[in-house]
Amino acid sequence: MSWTYTTYACGLSLLLGLVACGPSGGGDDAADSERARTRIDRYLQGETYRRLEVETDYVEGTKPSSDLRSELAQEFEGLVEKPGGVSFPADETLESRGSEHVWTLEELDQLASNHAQSATDGETARMYTVFVDGSYEEDDGDSKVLGLAWKNRYMAIF
């Protein structure tokens, strides 16, 4: 299995997991569930938001190829109702924190908050994906976290 195929399979799995994520907690469960459903509908349905854009930022050396981004867009077009299409634009090159950096969820959330475009814009619903170097705080020995999705919108791939 090639690195591209592995990345593709994992990316698709993680993005699907992102839209399937439940409420983030910290409040009224019914209200959290309704907000989560509204976000998920934004990504899957085409009534209000006719396009889906998965904004992609990356650290130098981790940029997903344009072929991979095109393949993901084609796969997603078969999974969601977006008459305006699906795209995975490579947006911004981020500063490396080094291969030894151990990311926390708080750091990733701050990075996403600082760099992600608005969640919606006209007819476009937007997710945010970031490819980073380093590892995740919950790595343990031979068990490594490949990617992480949170808040029904953000995803990091290590």
Side-chain angles (χ1 to χ4, degrees), residues 103-121:
W103 289 89
T104 66
L105 180 57
E106 292 76 22
E107 286 178 304
L108 291 167
D109 195 45
Q110 187 64 47
L111 179 79
S113 295
N114 290 341
H115 292 275
Q117 295 181 31
S118 66
T120 58
D121 182 17

Side-chain angles (χ1 to χ4, degrees), residues 42-52 76-77 80-86 123:
R42 175 183 354 179
Y43 301 136
L44 299 177
Q45 304 300 317
E47 295 158 6
T48 304
Y49 301 102
R50 299 176 51 79
R51 291 187 31 77
L52 174 62
F76 268 67
E77 284 181 358
V80 299
E81 295 176 20
K82 295 295 178 184
V86 178
E123 292 188 341

Side-chain angles (χ1 to χ4, degrees), residues 8-131:
Y8 169 77
C10 291
L12 184 58
S13 297
L14 287 169
L15 284 170
L16 289 174
L18 175 62
V19 296
C21 286
S24 58
D28 174 15
D29 286 343
D32 283 348
S33 292
E34 183 58 34
R35 280 190 294 274
R37 271 192 297 281
T38 300
R39 280 190 209 112
I40 292 166
D41 285 347
R42 175 183 354 179
Y43 301 136
L44 299 177
Q45 304 300 317
E47 295 158 6
T48 304
Y49 301 102
R50 299 176 51 79
R51 291 187 31 77
L52 174 62
E53 182 176 285
V54 183
E55 177 187 358
T56 306
D57 288 349
Y58 52 90
V59 169
E60 188 69 40
T62 65
K63 181 180 179 180
S65 71
S66 59
D67 287 344
L68 175 62
R69 293 190 321 272
S70 292
E71 287 178 42
L72 283 169
Q74 287 176 347
E75 282 295 318
F76 268 67
E77 284 181 358
L79 299 172
V80 299
E81 295 176 20
K82 295 295 178 184
V86 178
S87 65
F88 284 72
D91 189 44
E92 184 177 353
T93 303
L94 303 173
E95 185 176 324
S96 170
R97 297 204 185 172
S99 62
E100 299 300 315
H101 183 76
V102 178
W103 289 89
T104 66
L105 180 57
E106 292 76 22
E107 286 178 304
L108 291 167
D109 195 45
Q110 187 64 47
L111 179 79
S113 295
N114 290 341
H115 292 275
Q117 295 181 31
S118 66
T120 58
D121 182 17
E123 292 188 341
T124 302
R126 200 173 280 115
M127 293 177 174
Y128 178 77
T129 303
V130 61
F131 287 76

